[in-house]
Amino acid sequence: MTTLHRPAAPTAYGSARLLAGATHGVRADLAAHRAVHGAQQHRTRATLVEETGAVRLLGRGGAAFPVSTKLAGMPTGSSVEVVVNGSESEPASRKDRTLMTLVPHLVVDGALVVARALRTRRVTIAVHDTAAHASLTLALEERRGSEPHPERVSVRLQPARFVSGEVRAVLRGLDGRPAVPPGHRVLPTRHGLGGAPTFASNVETFAQIAVLVSLGARRYAEVGDRAEPGTTLVTLLGDVPAPGVAEVPTGLPLDALLPAAGGPVLVGGYHGHWVADARGLRVTRPSLREAGVPLNAGVVARLPESGCALAEVAAVAGWLARQSAGQCGPCLFGTAAVARDVSTLLYGRPAPDVSARLHGLVRRGACAHPDGTAAFVASALTTMTAELDAHVDRGGCGRPYLAVLPLDDGVR
Ligand code: SF4
């Protein structure tokens, strides 16, 4: 018998859609899923392009690329691959494994909609979390008797390393090669899994497609912000009223998820940006990108005032340096040098070269890791000026390192 690990019960701000029926932390089996979302539906590619475009659906990984544009640019036919990227390798994020564990049929429905629209039967779901793997495997077993489908859906475990979650690293891993980004930029839609054109996107993207097809574009757009209707998932951690995964209507003021006062706020996870004050920010990908703090995979953390914020930054910077795949020099040496600079500051000594080193990381790698690392550290240094002054002037702030930002993703 399959034993399923239950993630912490997610929270819904307003009505849950993605997590409807699962906000108590109980997995929705096929019958429960069908009771909420109805029978599996399908769309032609043209209709799916139209509907995803009508609701301005953006990919829910890091890049927030318009789904309709990606779908419209895909060839169709039996050689096309559909890949669900469930390699949620950011330690702070829990949203995708929550979807895969609690509502796996929603993810499978979305993948089947895309496969049918692209007229292919090839669907691969890549995961690195064993609980998510077990839940998805069980979901396919549940369908075998009552809802057989012609698509060949496989669920495959992949390495848990941070840079292994990048989509091209996932595709390489699925091809049996080292699961690190290739040393050059390639488009999966042209040259993806096994060299075939591949529609690859994040788990939440496929779940959103399933909800969209179930509700129709008009009802889907009844909640949320006009620029990006619907709901989205975030993972909240640190000094917040309800830590864990939350489903929120887009457009919600970000400070509605945070306490009235506290330490600096990290938006977008370990490739994200720090802000001192979240007032004026709203949870939509377009508005956050415009504000210079992209939501990325949806991690929002607020540090408690009782802890040392610079120590949190130093710990993550060191961890990010250790995640480099080691194939691009500026990434391998540059991220390590930046991490050393942050430690130097933490121990009360100036690091005069840190700005130049951060600048040297920008657009210098074959993937987004150096840029993401630079964004995380540079925004910390401009946001935490009082902390920095305390460390450099007095040798420290006197507050302890609380390890609010996890460095181990807890994969079993
Ligand atoms: S930039 Fe870093 S993580 Fe990305 S491919 Fe190059 S070495 Fe690997």
Side-chain angles (χ1 to χ4, degrees):
M1 185 183 139
T2 308
T3 303
L4 295 175
H5 167 74
R6 279 174 56 170
T11 308
Y13 289 74
S15 298
R17 285 176 162 184
L18 297 161
L19 296 169
T23 48
H24 297 297
V26 177
R27 177 184 182 275
D29 64 11
L30 183 57
H33 167 72
R34 290 285 170 244
V36 172
H37 296 284
Q40 170 84 55
Q41 296 190 45
H42 292 293
R43 296 287 193 267
T44 63
R45 195 254 290 263
T47 306
L48 194 57
V49 167
E50 190 181 317
E51 288 183 329
T52 52
V55 300
R56 300 182 182 89
L57 183 62
L58 301 174
R60 300 305 169 97
F65 194 76
V67 174
S68 60
T69 306
K70 189 188 278 190
L71 277 168
M74 284 291 301
T76 59
S78 59
S79 66
V80 167
E81 300 277 356
V82 173
V83 172
V84 181
N85 183 1
S87 295
E88 187 173 44
S89 46
E90 166 125 12
S93 183
R94 285 288 179 277
K95 73 179 181 76
D96 290 336
R97 68 194 83 183
T98 297
L99 283 171
M100 292 184 286
T101 307
L102 293 184
V103 290
H105 288 285
L106 197 65
V107 179
V108 175
D109 274 1
L112 294 178
V113 170
V114 172
R116 199 68 67 91
L118 297 177
R119 293 190 294 171
T120 183
R121 296 181 175 182
R122 306 159 81 96
V123 177
T124 306
I125 307 176
V127 303
H128 80 233
D129 176 74
T130 53
H133 184 272
S135 178
L136 285 162
T137 302
L138 181 58
L140 296 179
E141 283 170 16
E142 287 169 351
R143 287 171 180 239
R144 202 153 289 141
S146 56
E147 292 189 14
H149 47 76
E151 287 80 8
R152 203 182 61 228
V153 183
S154 61
V155 185
R156 294 181 50 189
L157 271 173
Q158 291 294 292
R161 189 175 172 182
F162 187 58
V163 296
S164 298
E166 200 257 3
V167 64
R168 295 166 308 154
V170 169
L171 297 175
R172 276 168 60 97
L174 291 172
D175 275 336
R177 292 183 287 167
V180 295
H184 54 284
R185 294 185 185 265
V186 291
L187 274 180
T189 50
R190 293 281 164 267
H191 189 88
L193 186 58
T198 301
F199 182 95
S201 196
N202 167 266
V203 161
E204 188 190 336
T205 313
F206 287 95
Q208 292 283 1
I209 289 171
V211 170
L212 169 62
V213 166
S214 165
L215 293 177
R218 189 181 56 77
R219 280 185 61 204
Y220 183 97
E222 281 174 355
V223 303
D225 189 89
R226 283 187 61 185
E228 189 198 16
T231 65
T232 195
L233 295 183
V234 291
T235 308
L236 304 168
L237 71 157
D239 184 18
V240 293
V245 174
E247 181 169 4
V248 304
T250 57
L252 188 76
L254 188 58
D255 58 8
L257 303 171
L258 304 170
V265 178
L266 175 65
V267 180
Y270 295 175
H271 278 175
H273 292 69
W274 292 92
V275 291
D277 186 346
R279 279 177 296 186
L281 299 176
R282 292 178 306 113
V283 185
T284 71
R285 282 168 175 76
S287 69
L288 288 172
R289 186 168 290 279
E290 199 177 315
V293 285
L295 190 58
N296 297 339
V299 171
V300 178
R302 175 156 232 166
L303 297 182
E305 287 178 313
S306 56
C308 176
L310 196 56
E312 300 282 348
V313 174
V316 173
W319 184 86
L320 287 168
R322 294 192 295 278
Q323 302 310 306
S324 169
Q327 46 192 10
C328 309
C331 176
L332 175 62
F333 301 112
T335 54
V338 164
R340 280 196 301 275
D341 282 342
V342 179
S343 287
T344 300
L345 291 165
L346 178 68
Y347 290 110
R349 296 186 299 277
D353 296 331
V354 66
S355 295
R357 283 205 238 274
L358 286 166
H359 189 68
L361 287 179
V362 176
R363 302 194 69 77
R364 295 297 301 281
C367 79
H369 188 51
D371 294 76
T373 302
F376 178 88
V377 173
S379 61
L381 299 184
T382 52
T383 301
M384 302 175 191
T385 51
E387 292 262 356
L388 273 172
D389 289 347
H391 280 261
V392 174
D393 294 346
R394 303 195 298 276
C397 62
R399 292 190 283 264
Y401 168 49
L402 299 178
V404 171
L405 302 178
L407 304 180
D408 174 357
D409 72 359
V411 173
R412 285 155 296 278

